[in-house]
């Protein structure tokens, strides 16, 4: 999954000429997204499922590898085994992962605004 995100993220930078983050930020200062071409709009549509998948992993249950509850369960296992250093690192990772979910939600909202703008301005989904 991480490899897929890295490839898509790298593609975003190449397609948008290094302006991937502002392009996907959605409507900006003048209520118009930075992306104003078919490739940028298609990229926005392609990134939406990636964000959904990542959020599903983060919000998964304790059996979902990589989810916050799974990381907390690993921390509890490490603490029970007496490895407090590892448990502390895992707890910090779980907190960081939970914060990441909030950022992904914000990006999904911005991406939805971009997709709406693209559809309204003649860049329908292919």
């Amino acid at each position: 999954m991480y490899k897929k995100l890295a490839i898509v993220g790298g593609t975003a930078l190449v397609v948008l000429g290094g302006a991937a983050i502002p392009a996907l930020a959605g409507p900006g200062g003048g209520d118009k997204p930075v992306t104003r071409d078919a490739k940028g709009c298609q990229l926005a549509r392609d990134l939406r499922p990636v964000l959904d998948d990542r959020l599903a992993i983060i919000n998964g249950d304790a059996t979902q590898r990589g989810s916050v509850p799974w990381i907390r369960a690993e921390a509890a296992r490490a603490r029970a085994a007496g490895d407090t250093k590892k448990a502390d690192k895992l707890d910090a990772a779980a907190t960081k992962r939970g914060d990441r979910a909030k950022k992904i939600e914000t990006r999904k909202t911005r991406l939805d605004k971009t997709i709406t703008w693209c559809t309204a301005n003649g860049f329908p989904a292919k």
Side-chain angles (χ1 to χ4, degrees), residues 33-70:
V34 176
T35 303
R36 293 186 181 175
D37 62 355
K39 285 184 182 180
C41 288
Q42 188 59 45
L43 178 64
R45 286 185 187 88
D46 291 345
L47 285 176
R48 183 64 162 84
V50 173
L51 293 178
D52 288 337
D53 290 344
R54 186 65 187 140
L55 200 58
I57 291 170
I58 291 172
N59 293 332
D61 61 4
T63 60
Q64 173 66 48
R65 184 177 176 91
S67 69
V68 173
W70 182 84

Side-chain angles (χ1 to χ4, degrees), residues 48-112:
R48 183 64 162 84
V50 173
L51 293 178
D52 288 337
D53 290 344
R54 186 65 187 140
L55 200 58
I57 291 170
I58 291 172
N59 293 332
D61 61 4
T63 60
Q64 173 66 48
R65 184 177 176 91
S67 69
V68 173
W70 182 84
I71 295 171
R72 294 213 188 276
E74 289 293 312
R77 254 185 243 115
R79 194 167 276 112
D83 193 352
T84 56
K85 187 176 181 180
K86 181 178 179 182
D88 291 342
K89 285 184 179 181
L90 287 168
D91 282 334
T95 301
K96 187 175 180 180
R97 180 92 26 114
D99 293 342
R100 189 74 180 143
K102 295 173 192 168
K103 291 180 183 178
I104 291 174
E105 284 291 343
T106 302
R107 288 187 179 148
K108 280 176 49 175
T109 301
R110 290 178 176 172
L111 206 55
D112 288 341

